[in-house]
Amino acid sequence: MSGDALSLDPAELRRRIDTTKAHPARVYDVFLGGKDNYPVDRAAAAAALAANPRGYLDVRHNRDFLRRAVTSLAREDGIRQFLDIGTGLPTAENVHQIAQRIIPDSRVVYVDNDPVVLAHARALLTSGPEGRTDYIDADFRNPAQILEQAGKTLDLDQPVALCLVALLHFMEDEEAYPIVRELVEALPSGSRLVLSHLTEDLNPENIRAVQRTYTERGFTFVLRSAAEVERFFTESALEVVEPGVVPAHRWRADNAAPVPERPDTSYLATLDDIEKVRYADINDVTDADINVYAAVGERR
């Protein structure tokens, strides 16, 4: 693992974990039915769900967009290298699992700066025998470090899919656009940018209520329009591929999202609303449920 991240002392990791403030990666984990979160994260997720009771569809469809995008890039375009920044906590169908199922020798580098993610990073390194995975403990705001470390696993002279999924709405413009540009400019022709982003274009009342629950907890939370999302591509000399910048559930929705196995009704009755989310069938979705744009761009 890059930067000797796995050699960090457990006590040092615990010191870095702030359980008094919600963290975006851990709140995301709550909505995905994970266990690697704290009461403060579950409270933030519950508040967001109360503000928008079908808001879990944003999180789950955002994740399913990543599944479809990686599948498409590996299967149709032959992309075999992925740089996933803002990885979040390990969950079912991580990028390397999807890519290596299609191209066994795929290489994947994960990047995050959350110590909780670092504590579970070994789960992200279970590469197939022909491929490689690595984890970098680094901040998105330090692209030079990310590229230097990623170059130890990825061949940066060959196409790379840069995945920035549900990350950039936690950054103000003066950081977000230049950093994306710097990362993309370091990648060769044929590389891709996989991007998703929250917006108020689609259902403003719902997402603004959610935004308030996050900003009250100290998060930067920037909702961007379709034009502002497209700017991440145009400013980095990327051509957005079909179907363009679209609501996440409409990006190449040619294979339905997996349906979780539902427990019996009596067990469901014991769960609170946020715990029930993991068992929901997200194929029951309308345009009125989604506040996430998704797109993929290619570097010519």
Side-chain angles (χ1 to χ4, degrees):
M1 178 177 291
S2 297
D4 296 323
L6 279 180
S7 65
L8 281 179
D9 181 74
E12 170 64 14
L13 270 179
R14 286 193 297 273
R15 187 192 64 77
R16 284 178 52 186
I17 296 171
D18 185 352
T19 62
T20 67
K21 296 179 181 178
H23 189 284
R26 302 194 306 258
V27 175
Y28 194 74
D29 182 64
V30 174
F31 279 109
L32 293 176
K35 300 291 187 183
D36 301 309
N37 48 71
Y38 295 92
V40 66
D41 306 306
R42 293 189 285 276
L49 193 67
N52 181 14
R54 287 174 66 80
Y56 65 89
L57 289 164
D58 279 334
V59 177
R60 296 273 301 280
H61 274 285
N62 176 76
R63 187 73 192 181
D64 199 60
F65 158 67
L66 178 62
R67 175 184 69 87
R68 284 177 278 124
V70 172
T71 298
S72 173
L73 291 176
R75 180 174 293 152
E76 298 172 21
D77 301 330
I79 300 294
R80 59 186 64 231
Q81 299 193 110
F82 296 84
L83 177 57
D84 183 5
I85 303 178
T87 299
L89 286 149
T91 187
E93 292 291 274
N94 297 296
V95 170
H96 71 278
Q97 294 166 316
I98 302 166
Q100 290 178 358
R101 185 164 56 241
I102 300 166
I103 302 177
D105 65 351
S106 296
R107 297 184 174 196
V108 178
V109 172
Y110 295 103
V111 183
D112 211 299
N113 71 332
D114 180 6
V116 174
V117 179
L118 174 57
H120 294 272
R122 285 185 177 85
L124 293 170
L125 300 178
T126 54
S127 174
E130 298 173 60
R132 287 185 62 188
T133 62
D134 199 2
Y135 178 91
I136 300 171
D137 178 27
D139 194 304
F140 174 75
R141 295 173 179 84
N142 193 344
Q145 178 192 5
I146 291 172
L147 291 164
E148 178 188 3
Q149 295 291 332
K152 298 176 182 179
T153 299
L154 306 178
D155 180 352
L156 298 183
D157 292 324
Q158 297 297 319
V160 174
L162 170 63
C163 301
L164 303 177
V165 174
L167 172 67
L168 296 169
H169 43 251
F170 297 114
M171 311 283 172
E172 300 287 359
D173 286 0
E174 58 269 23
E175 289 183 318
Y177 289 105
I179 293 172
V180 171
R181 189 163 57 247
E182 182 175 347
L183 288 166
V184 171
E185 286 176 351
L187 304 178
S189 174
S191 293
R192 307 297 202 275
L193 172 61
V194 178
L195 185 151
S196 66
H197 200 294
L198 284 169
T199 183
E200 62 181 351
D201 284 359
L202 305 173
N203 301 289
E205 185 175 343
N206 286 347
I207 195 61
R208 286 173 188 157
V210 172
Q211 182 185 40
R212 285 193 295 272
T213 71
Y214 281 89
T215 55
E216 286 168 0
R217 288 164 170 79
F219 292 156
T220 297
F221 207 82
V222 182
L223 302 172
R224 292 187 171 95
S225 67
E228 290 168 326
V229 171
E230 189 169 0
R231 181 182 158 197
F232 284 112
F233 296 89
T234 56
E235 284 197 358
S236 300
L238 294 162
E239 180 179 325
V240 180
V241 303
E242 289 296 327
V245 177
V246 296
H249 67 303
R250 294 191 173 276
W251 195 90
R252 300 191 183 180
D254 49 0
N255 54 341
V259 178
E261 184 176 342
R262 286 178 67 85
D264 62 58
T265 306
S266 60
Y267 175 72
L268 276 177
T270 68
L271 304 180
D272 61 27
D273 288 344
I274 199 68
E275 292 172 322
K276 291 176 182 175
V277 162
R278 77 184 73 172
Y279 300 112
D281 177 2
I282 66 168
N283 295 295
D284 172 26
V285 62
T286 71
D287 289 353
D289 294 318
I290 296 299
N291 302 281
V292 181
Y293 279 133
V296 172
E298 179 176 359
R299 185 157 198 208
R300 298 298 189 182

